């Protein structure tokens, strides 16, 4: 996999507050290698590791996009819902920003039935299905890579992907388990600025990959 | 050293604005940082063993650094060179908003109209129907699936099970089915339904999801002895010379026959429960390895394994 330049610099990440973790009492001891310091009852993650993983994730995502793989971005917290939607639309990926219905991936045949219903109801445009399925209406099969914004919130999504064997990229905070996802990026999942920064990098990688895929024909 | 001092006071100033406020505002306020401190840390090469705490700024905020002095584990971030004329692409919410048409056109280019119900580029919006009919509808499945897969099914046990509710007893049927092609792949499945036929269908679907491969030698037998247990059922499997046939009881026999094993000995030690024994047999078979694979993993020639 070719390593490209993704304009990841540590000052930018510090400004966005990517290095903040959760309170000391809520930590997951498996995160010990990624924590560099403790200050005022809050754990501070090691930004070098974050930068390494983020660039690796961007390389992987660029590679996959240039081969025409499908992505899914999942983020259901109220604060980040709009961010996830705009990021995914910009990158032409599927997304889930309202509630994740259990079994969306493992029970794909039922989800397909719902999507068919949604398509037939489109004429009315008032359906509540729009909130749940709006982001995946262009999805024809299971995605190839799933990007998850907060592991604690989207634990079910991670479980489904592990069962199905779909590679995942996940934003990990100090109270999460880094072994579950394939690439876990230790970052702050509370501040909108930090999620925005990481999503920007990933989205730019996906866009570049798509454009190189389209160029290839 | 000076850069480390600057950096630690840089971040300590950050923490003065509490975390919750930085979370609520979308961009953290940068007014706390005096200009002089943003300038020095240009060669920001922090490696994991950070400099000593003696250099940190005063005692107002206590910091404990966790050092990773393990030399094999030192992480450095060295990205590839910045290409000249690199313009960082704008963030996604700073771009001019795209019209719905552009968005749909973009998606359609990549994925086709799928389930969106409208087509901007002139593709057929009912394209997914054709694909869906091919895979299954519930009626078609019962007739076709029996031959399509190459997997044969055999029902091991059908039992009537009961759930006692306020009004009386709720009956249902539980079917245990073993599915296999006779070439080394088997799976055990369970399914429950109100009718026997439906239960068998459910269990065969379940069986196809947990398939395991049996390593077989050219005489249709195992490479070596193996034990497996599941619950209270313990199964011992042993290879046999050609001409022996499958000598095993009940559920284990069915599993071995569906795998295509022709010569083997098997014994159920422990519980005689059919489902658990079938699963234990699958576990036992999953533990087996071919001699060539083991030799390759250990990096030794195969002759060594037989000494």
């Amino acid at each position: 996999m070719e390593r490209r330049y993704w304009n990841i610099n540590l000052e930018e990440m510090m400004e966005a507050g990517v290095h903040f973790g959760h309170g000391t009492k809520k930590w997951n001891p498996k995160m010990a290698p990624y924590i560099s310091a403790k200050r005022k009852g809050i754990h501070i993650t090691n930004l070098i590791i974050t930068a390494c993983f983020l660039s690796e994730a961007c390389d992987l995502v660029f590679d996959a996009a240039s081969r025409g793989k499908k992505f899914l971005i999942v983020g259901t917290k109220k604060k980040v819902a709009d961010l996830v939607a705009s990021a995914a639309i910009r990158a032409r990926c599927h997304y889930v920003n309202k509630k994740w219905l259990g079994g969306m991936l493992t029970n794909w045949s039922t989800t397909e039935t719902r999507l068919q219903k949604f398509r037939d109801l489109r004429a009315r445009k008032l359906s509540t299905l729009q909130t749940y399925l709006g982001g995946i209406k262009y999805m024809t099969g299971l995605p190839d890579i799933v990007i998850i914004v907060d592991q604690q919130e989207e634990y079910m999504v991670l479980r489904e992907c592990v069962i199905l064997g779909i590679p995942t990229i996940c934003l990990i905070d100090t109270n999460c388990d880094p072994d579950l996802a394939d690439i876990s990026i230790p970052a702050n999942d509370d501040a909108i600025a930090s999620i925005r920064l990481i999503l920007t990098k990933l989205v730019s990688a996906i866009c570049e990959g798509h454009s190189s895929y389209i160029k290839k024909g | 050293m000076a850069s480390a001092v600057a950096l630690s006071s840089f971040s300590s100033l950050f923490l003065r604005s509490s975390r919750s406020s930085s979370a609520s505002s979308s961009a953290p306020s940068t007014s706390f940082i005096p200009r002089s401190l943003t300038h020095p840390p240009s060669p920001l090469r922090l490696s994991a063993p950070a400099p000593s705490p003696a250099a940190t700024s005063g005692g107002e905020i206590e910091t404990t650094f966790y050092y990773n002095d393990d030399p094999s584990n030192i992480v450095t971030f060295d990205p590839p060179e910045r290409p000249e004329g690199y313009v960082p692409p704008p963030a996604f919410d700073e771009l001019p908003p795209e019209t719905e048409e552009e968005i749909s056109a973009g998606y359609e280019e990549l994925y086709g109209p799928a389930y969106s119900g409208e087509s901007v580029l002139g593709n057929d919006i009912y394209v997914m129907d054709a694909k869906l009919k091919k895979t299954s509808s519930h009626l078609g499945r019962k007739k076709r699936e029996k031959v399509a897969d190459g997997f044969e099914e055999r029902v091991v046990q059908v039992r009537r099970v009961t759930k006692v509710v306020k009004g009386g007893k709720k009956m249902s049927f539980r079917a245990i089915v073993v599915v296999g092609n006779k070439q080394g792949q088997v799976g055990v499945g369970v399914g429950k339904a109100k009718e026997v036929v439906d239960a068998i269908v459910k269990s065969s679907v379940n069986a196809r999801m947990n398939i395991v491969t049996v390593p077989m030698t050219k005489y249709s037998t195992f490479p070596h002895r193996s034990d497996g247990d599941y619950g209270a059922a313990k199964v011992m499997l042993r290879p046999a010379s050609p001409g022996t046939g499958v000598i095993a009881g009940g559920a284990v026999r069915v599993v071995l026959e569906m795998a295509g094993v022709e010569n083997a000995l098997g014994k159920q030690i422990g519980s005689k429960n059919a489902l658990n024994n079938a699963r234990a047999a699958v576990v036992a078979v999953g533990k087996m390895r071919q001699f060539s694979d083991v030799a390759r993993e250990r990096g030794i020639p195969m002759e060594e394994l037989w000494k």
Side-chain angles (χ1 to χ4, degrees), chain B residues 5-17:
Chain B
V5 176
L7 189 64
S8 50
S9 47
F10 179 100
S11 35
S12 72
L13 280 170
F14 244 114
L15 270 171
R16 265 204 224 133
S17 61

Side-chain angles (χ1 to χ4, degrees), chain A residues 10-11 46 48 52, chain B residues 3-4 7 40-51 74-81:
Chain A
L10 302 174
E11 292 100 347
N46 191 344
I48 314 281
C52 279
Chain B
S3 64
L7 189 64
S42 47
L44 255 192
R45 289 222 151 256
L46 313 166
S47 46
I74 292 181
V75 184
T76 49
F77 178 48
D78 42 357
E81 276 304 314

Side-chain angles (χ1 to χ4, degrees), chain B residues 101-121:
Chain B
E101 282 211 3
E102 285 178 18
I103 297 175
S104 333
Y107 271 107
E108 238 183 275
E109 222 179 271
L110 285 170
Y111 308 116
Y115 295 104
S116 60
E118 62 207 9
S119 170
V120 179
L121 298 177

Side-chain angles (χ1 to χ4, degrees), chain A residues 15 38 48 90 93 116 122, chain B residues 28 46 64 95 107 116 129:
Chain A
E15 265 188 34
K38 172 174 82 164
I48 314 281
R90 170 92 176 86
C93 302
Q116 268 206 318
R122 261 306 253 174
Chain B
L46 313 166
T64 39
L95 288 177
Y107 271 107
S116 60
D129 278 344

